[in-house]
Amino acid sequence: AIQYIIDQVNPEKVIRPPEEVHIEGGDVMLWNDYIFVGTYREADYANYIVARTNMEGVAFLEKTFPHK
């Protein structure tokens, strides 16, 4: 649904996470220099069909935005 918007952005500035990374937009809140992320931390994450940010997503955000 947002592909039209992404197509308007310089491709060099589009960040695409690896396939194992799940980031749910509703789980992420930006506030000044902070990124707040709601996540599911239990080991059985793969057993559920959920749209939640997983721990791989949290690690990806930490690596991609180290100063946040």
Side-chain angles (χ1 to χ4, degrees), residues 1-64:
I2 66 166
Q3 191 59 53
Y4 173 79
I5 295 169
I6 293 172
D7 289 343
Q8 308 305 309
V9 176
N10 178 340
E12 293 178 9
K13 296 190 178 199
V14 175
I15 300 169
R16 298 198 185 269
E19 190 172 323
E20 68 274 7
V21 168
H22 299 161
I23 300 173
E24 165 57 35
D27 289 342
V28 179
M29 291 179 26
L30 308 176
W31 182 67
N32 296 324
D33 285 333
Y34 296 91
I35 302 174
F36 295 96
V37 182
T39 188
Y40 185 75
R41 297 175 152 227
E42 302 301 319
D44 62 350
Y45 178 89
N47 295 338
Y48 297 100
I49 299 172
V50 296
R52 293 301 314 253
T53 300
N54 61 8
M55 291 309 295
E56 289 86 349
V58 173
F60 177 80
L61 290 170
E62 289 175 333
K63 180 180 176 186
T64 305

